[in-house]
Amino acid sequence: MSKIKNILKGTAATVFSAALPAASSFAAVGKAQSGLTSVDPNSGTGDTLEVSIQKILNAVYFVVGMVAVIMIILGGISYATSQGDAGKVKKGKDTILYGIIGLIIVLLAFAITNFILNQLAV
């Protein structure tokens, strides 16, 4: 029973940590929208090129981050249901590890591109 509780705690922590980049991406988009707008009032949203790129990249980062979280969850389920089979245990651990590495890469890419785009917007 404690194994199931640990899995549920780990899953809750993973989902919570996955929500943080999404919240910060929404904040970054809101911050970026306060910059310069297009001169043409009929151009639609009035977003600059940097803001448009940032919105597209944030959407991509959100999707890739969610895929990484889903892989972590699936790896945890695989690990929990392995019943001691060494091959399934290794597969579950590897899936969790690769999901975490993917999430770290997405977070780093998010931070780097938002830093660069904010520097260009100044």
Side-chain angles (χ1 to χ4, degrees):
M1 188 58 125
S2 82
K3 195 174 195 180
I4 294 173
K5 285 182 182 179
N6 286 339
I7 291 170
L8 290 176
K9 286 179 187 178
T11 303
T14 303
V15 170
F16 176 73
S17 66
L20 292 177
S24 64
S25 69
F26 293 131
V29 169
K31 179 182 175 189
Q33 288 177 347
S34 65
L36 297 174
T37 58
S38 176
V39 177
D40 184 13
N42 299 324
S43 66
T45 62
D47 289 340
T48 62
L49 179 62
E50 291 89 2
V51 173
S52 299
I53 292 171
Q54 196 167 25
K55 284 182 180 180
I56 293 168
L57 287 175
N58 286 341
V60 170
Y61 294 147
F62 179 76
V63 170
V64 174
M66 290 309 298
V67 168
V69 169
I70 290 169
M71 292 306 296
I72 292 169
I73 293 169
L74 291 176
I77 292 171
S78 174
Y79 180 74
T81 60
S82 65
Q83 299 178 350
D85 183 12
K88 289 183 181 179
V89 169
K90 181 174 178 5
K91 180 182 174 191
K93 284 183 178 181
D94 288 345
T95 304
I96 293 170
L97 177 67
Y98 298 146
I100 291 171
I101 290 171
L103 199 56
I104 290 170
I105 290 171
V106 168
L107 290 173
L108 288 173
F110 170 78
I112 291 168
T113 56
N114 277 333
F115 175 76
I116 291 171
L117 289 173
N118 286 335
Q119 295 301 316
L120 291 175
V122 172

